[in-house]
Every structure is written in structure tokens, then in C-alpha cells.
Amino acid sequence: MSEPPAHPKELKDGRYTLLRRLGEGSQGETYEARDNGRADERERQRPRPEALVEDWNKFVARARSSEVPRSSELVAIKCFRVNRAKSWKDVELAEREAKTLASLDHPHLPKYIEHFEEDGALYLVMEKVEGESLASIRARKGTLSVAEVTRMLEDIGGALRYLHGRAPFIVHRDVKPGNVIRRPDGSYALVDFGAVRDRLKPAGGSTVVGTFGYMAPEQFQGRASPKSDLYGLGATALAMLTGCEPEDLPHEGLGIDVARALPKSGTPAPLVRALTAMLQPDPDRRVDSVDDALAFLRPKASNEPKRSGPPGPPPEPRRKLTRREKRELRHLQRRQERDERRRRRAAARGRRPPFVPRLFAKLGLLIALIAVWIAVGI
């Protein structure tokens, strides 16, 4: 983060005052700003001369108590410099981010306020999510505990469930530690929708957007899907557990070897299975949804000890199989039936006597049959 400017810049006729720069990219910056309210509200709230002493006393009292400004007064403003755009696709992504945020409402996502154009730049105003990014946490202390990572998976998984359940579904495409914020209360939020994609194959093709190491392999081909966000979430969780970038972890073929990357002691087996299912390089072998991934973390009812007291929440309904899964299940059943028939034939052949005794037995039966036929004929 940079220091606050000596002369804070104001936007939209003084409604927003830029306080400090939070980040900078090749095409713009992100600022922390104060929302001063609309012009008519500021006019109504302008202090009277006789109230200046009272306002000063309130300011001194707040400064002495180190009171933090209310989160509702602080906003995050993303500035997109149109003249720095390398192509029209970049401008389209900025407009798509504003459009997408305007339609979202979820506790683990930032709230949209407005967007506008000023001095040749696009400004997107959203709620500033208080807290610290996972990237900063990792740079400061390295890793998170299993309990913290599990909560992160639940919170961000809930946000992805909301995005993927929209019509049409929304793909974030850039889930990584820098875009996950841990709030002061311990909850997590997913930010930065600059790479959102609200349909599988938009007109004009797809733009490859993401971060190396956290980007699913299919994104390199421009084929982002909801499963791509699951890969990014799994890679983020693995990075926070190990303190290493995904590309630096042990690999088996094209995929990350989760079991080798995580310490054997202290890592629950359900978490290893969940991350392994989320980090499959082949999207066809990856889990289908967030619920399927989180199901690994929830204990099965048959393995849970019996407890006294009020019953817990009812179990989640079993997911309905897709047409493809039903077809694969039928093929598997036919293959198992064929293998069973072959096994029975092999066992029957193994119980038969040797060839030479069988040959003499058949010759004896043939001679006896001929003798009986001659005797009956005479």
C-alpha cells in the first residue's frame, strides 16, 4: 500500500476522495476512498458555524479513542485507464466487471455502488472489504491452519455456489490468495471481478485470463467453466497450507500430488481427498460442483458416533446423476457382468479332469454304446 497523497484527489464533483492506493496494474489502479455522499446530501449536512466547536470535540474524542471510520464511509475504487488498454477486449472486461457486480448480492462478495467515466478513465466503486488478503498473510506468517483453510473453503465455496448458480452462470476465473480477503471476524470474501465471464462461449471468442499456478489447464485454451474456479480455490487452499506456490509443489504427471505436498501428520484425510478432487488437471475428472468438493469435508452419518441431544440438520439430498454419469454407470455394470461370466467359465474349466483321462472315458463310453447297440440288434 502507498502513502496517502499530499493533495487528495476528488472524483464525481467531490463525492469521492481518494485516500491511498491499494494496488496498481498495467491498465489502472485500485484506491481506498471516502464516500462523501451526494451533492444534495453534502449541502444538507454542511455544518453550521455554531456547531463547529461541537464537531471539533467529537473529532478529538474519536482520535483519542483510535476509532476506525465506519466501513460504510470507505469504498474501493478501481480506475481503468482506457488509453492504456491493449485491445478492445480489455475495455470489454472492465465494463463486464461493473455489469456483473451490479447484479450480485452475497455476504462473501463486495457490494456494488456505482460506476462512471471521468477524465478518460472508467471508475468502478464498490464496498471496501475490511481485512487482509491471503497473499499478505502468507507473506507475513507463511501458512494458515487446517481449521482456517476449512472455513475459507466453506465461505469462498458459498460465494462460488452463488456465482455458478446464476442464470447465466458467472465464472470468476481468477481465484487466488490475492483476491481472497480475511475479515476481522475471521470470515472470508472473494474480490476483484476483473476477469469475470458470465457465459461459457461469448460472442467473439474468449479471453484467456487468470494467474499462473492458480489457473486451471483448460483456461490456457480459453475454455473457462465453473470447474475452473474450483481448481483455483483448491490451489489457493493448498498454497495457504504449504506456504508454497502451486508450481513449486510436487507433481505427478500434469497434476499436483496433493498427498506429497501436504504434511502427513496434522492434515486430515478428508481435506486431502477434497483438494485432490478439486485439483484434477482433467476437467472431466474434476468434481462437478462446490457441493461435491465440500462433501469430502463433511463426516458421513454412518461413521459418526451416536450423540444424545437434539438432532442436527437433515442430510443434504443426494445429487441427481447426469445423463453422462448414468451412461457410464450402465457401461460399468455391463463390464462387471462380462467379467463375472468369464470368471465363472474359467472356474468351471479349472474343475474339469485332465484331457487324457477324459479321452479314455469317452472311448470306453463309445465302445459300451456300440456293444449295447449290437446286442439289442441281435
Side-chain angles (χ1 to χ4, degrees):
M1 296 183 183
S2 62
E3 295 294 329
H7 301 285
K9 181 180 179 179
E10 293 187 345
L11 299 173
K12 206 174 182 182
D13 298 329
R15 172 166 182 177
Y16 302 105
T17 302
L18 302 184
L19 301 179
R20 57 177 175 170
R21 188 168 57 195
L22 300 176
E24 183 176 5
S26 60
Q27 299 171 0
E29 308 86 25
T30 301
Y31 294 93
E32 180 187 77
R34 183 175 61 250
D35 187 353
N36 301 315
R38 296 192 299 269
D40 54 346
E41 293 178 352
R42 295 198 302 270
E43 185 65 26
R44 289 196 304 267
Q45 296 174 0
R46 180 175 296 176
R48 292 170 288 113
E50 57 271 18
L52 289 178
V53 176
E54 181 180 354
D55 291 343
W56 172 255
N57 292 333
K58 290 181 180 179
F59 173 78
V60 172
R62 186 172 62 181
R64 288 177 177 175
S65 62
S66 300
E67 180 181 349
V68 180
R70 291 177 299 149
S71 59
S72 59
E73 296 177 353
L74 297 178
V75 295
I77 298 182
K78 292 190 66 174
C79 171
F80 179 82
R81 308 289 181 183
V82 179
N83 56 356
R84 298 185 191 176
K86 298 179 181 179
S87 65
W88 181 250
K89 276 287 185 182
D90 297 330
V91 181
E92 183 184 19
L93 279 176
E95 294 177 347
R96 186 184 301 169
E97 179 180 8
K99 174 185 173 183
T100 302
L101 272 177
S103 65
L104 302 181
D105 183 15
H106 192 273
H108 297 297
L109 299 175
K111 291 182 172 57
Y112 166 87
I113 297 176
E114 68 170 336
H115 67 280
F116 57 91
E117 183 178 355
E118 186 173 314
D119 297 333
L122 298 176
Y123 292 94
L124 172 61
V125 186
M126 70 196 82
E127 170 200 12
K128 182 180 182 297
V129 179
E130 297 294 338
E132 186 178 9
S133 71
L134 294 188
S136 299
I137 294 175
R138 194 180 64 178
R140 178 168 50 84
K141 67 175 187 177
T143 61
L144 291 180
S145 66
V146 170
E148 291 173 318
V149 169
T150 301
R151 178 165 185 182
M152 186 272 293
L153 288 173
E154 293 281 354
D155 289 352
I156 304 304
L160 293 179
R161 183 188 303 111
Y162 172 78
L163 294 175
H164 299 166
R166 305 279 292 176
F169 60 77
I170 297 173
V171 182
H172 187 280
R173 295 201 295 176
D174 199 17
V175 181
K176 61 182 180 179
N179 289 339
V180 177
I181 305 296
R182 185 174 69 177
R183 295 188 176 110
D185 63 355
S187 63
Y188 296 84
L190 181 63
V191 300
D192 196 351
F193 283 74
V196 292
R197 178 178 178 184
D198 55 5
R199 55 181 62 87
L200 188 59
K201 292 183 178 179
S206 173
T207 303
V208 178
V209 180
T211 301
F212 182 74
Y214 301 92
M215 185 166 54
E218 67 269 14
Q219 286 186 248
F220 289 99
Q221 302 174 354
R223 298 187 296 111
S225 71
K227 288 187 176 184
S228 306
D229 286 344
L230 299 183
Y231 187 97
L233 180 58
T236 299
L238 195 59
M240 298 310 299
L241 286 169
T242 61
C244 301
E245 291 292 333
E247 62 268 23
D248 297 330
L249 295 173
H251 280 63
E252 183 178 358
L254 298 177
I256 301 175
D257 192 339
V258 178
R260 288 174 54 200
L262 292 173
K264 295 182 179 180
S265 60
T267 305
L271 181 59
V272 176
R273 289 195 295 270
L275 296 181
T276 301
M278 298 169 70
L279 289 170
Q280 289 293 329
D282 185 354
D284 292 334
R285 298 181 60 189
R286 202 176 305 152
V287 286
D288 291 328
S289 66
V290 173
D291 291 327
D292 291 342
L294 298 180
F296 289 97
L297 304 177
R298 303 187 181 107
K300 297 181 180 180
S302 58
N303 296 332
E304 291 182 348
K306 295 183 179 179
R307 301 176 182 177
S308 59
E316 295 186 357
R318 187 175 180 180
R319 183 176 63 87
K320 187 177 180 180
L321 296 177
T322 63
R323 184 178 300 176
R324 178 177 180 178
E325 291 172 336
K326 292 179 180 178
R327 185 169 60 251
E328 292 179 350
L329 182 60
R330 288 195 298 268
H331 291 335
L332 178 60
Q333 291 174 346
R334 295 194 190 102
R335 192 181 308 116
Q336 291 175 344
E337 291 174 356
R338 288 195 301 268
D339 294 342
E340 181 64 20
R341 289 195 296 269
R342 291 171 184 170
R343 187 186 64 80
R344 291 177 180 176
R345 287 196 296 267
R349 285 194 298 269
R351 292 193 298 266
R352 298 173 65 180
F355 174 75
V356 175
R358 283 191 289 113
L359 178 61
F360 282 107
K362 290 182 178 180
L363 288 176
L365 290 176
L366 179 60
I367 294 172
L369 179 63
I370 295 174
V372 171
W373 177 75
I374 294 174
V376 172
I378 294 174

